[in-house]
Amino acid sequence: MDEHLVAEVEQQHQLLATWIGSSAQPAVLDALRAAHTADFSMVTVDGHVLGRQAVLDGLAGAANSQPGLRILISDVTVAAELADAVLVGFLETHVQHGHTSSRRVTALLQVERKAPHGLRWRHLHETPIPQ
């Protein structure tokens, strides 16, 4: 497994938890914005399909909305390696004040040399794991 791939998945979720779970500086949101391609899309745990702007607008309004949130990443696997992208799967677990919820995630990461870890997020699909 490419260490840059795992580092990218973990770093983005650490940034997300910092933004949503604390009084983070605006630079955290800027880093999240920069990590996504212009055509980024996401399928939420509720089945809604959101484009990049809708996701980023939602994040902008979610600063410190879940104080104490931690996001744990595990079981990172590569489903496919393409010439210009990597399809990855992982388990994402949210922990907040003793409550835990998990989801299986599939993400398409675009290879882009200028990006941190050489990757930008192009598509994300979350499937909740029933409690």
Side-chain angles (χ1 to χ4, degrees):
M1 172 87 48
D2 184 328
E3 64 191 50
H4 294 291
L5 177 64
V6 174
E8 175 62 23
V9 172
E10 290 175 345
Q11 179 182 27
Q12 288 309 306
H13 287 84
Q14 182 180 33
L15 288 169
L16 183 62
T18 298
W19 180 252
I20 295 173
S22 70
S23 297
Q25 296 296 314
V28 174
L29 183 58
D30 292 342
L32 287 165
R33 283 185 181 119
H36 297 82
T37 63
D39 60 348
F40 175 79
S41 62
M42 174 181 178
V43 179
T44 68
V45 293
D46 298 327
H48 296 104
V49 179
L50 304 176
R52 181 180 191 269
Q53 195 58 53
V55 171
L56 295 177
D57 288 349
L59 281 175
N64 202 22
S65 62
Q66 297 180 36
L69 175 67
R70 292 184 307 131
I71 300 176
L72 309 173
I73 300 299
S74 60
D75 300 334
V76 179
T77 59
V78 174
E81 291 187 58
L82 310 169
D84 62 349
V86 178
L87 185 63
V88 62
F90 54 91
L91 179 64
E92 177 181 329
T93 302
H94 291 212
V95 180
Q96 183 183 22
H97 306 300
H99 176 72
T100 301
S101 64
S102 296
R103 58 200 73 184
R104 286 270 169 211
V105 180
T106 304
L108 183 63
L109 303 177
Q110 189 76 38
V111 174
E112 187 174 316
R113 303 274 180 243
K114 295 179 184 178
H117 304 118
L119 300 163
R120 288 207 196 282
W121 295 72
R122 185 166 180 188
H123 181 74
L124 185 77
H125 188 129
E126 299 183 325
T127 302
I129 296 175
Q131 300 281 325

